[in-house]
Amino acid sequence: MTVRETAQEIDVVAADWAARLDRGDLSPEEDQALEAWLSDDPRRIGAFARARAVSLSSERARALGAQFCPDDFLTSQ
């Protein structure tokens, strides 16, 4: 009997893959390992997509700079 991964375990591995991609292109071996990991459980695709979305969103936030203050853009009603 195989033990099913928890959603948290999948999220941790997905975040690791997203971080690897943030550092640059994957080697052919890494790319193959990612594809194998993704294909083994359909939940992994969603977890990986969420991890990539968080990563891309944080890159956009970083581009705003350290002095960015979101409160400056709130409108009073």
Side-chain angles (χ1 to χ4, degrees):
M1 181 171 130
T2 60
V3 177
R4 184 177 160 131
E5 288 175 297
T6 67
Q8 288 177 328
E9 291 169 331
I10 291 172
D11 286 343
V12 167
V13 177
D16 180 59
W17 279 115
R20 289 183 196 188
L21 280 170
D22 284 346
R23 291 190 295 268
D25 292 336
L26 299 177
S27 69
E29 294 81 16
E30 289 173 315
D31 190 52
Q32 186 176 16
L34 172 59
E35 291 300 322
W37 181 77
L38 289 170
S39 68
D40 201 38
D41 187 327
R43 298 176 299 158
R44 293 174 177 178
I45 295 170
F48 180 64
R50 286 189 302 276
R52 289 291 292 152
V54 167
S55 175
L56 294 172
S57 180
S58 66
E59 285 180 23
R60 284 196 307 268
R62 188 174 344 135
L64 295 172
Q67 302 304 317
F68 176 74
C69 178
D71 293 337
D72 293 344
F73 293 89
L74 294 176
T75 58
S76 37
Q77 301 215 6

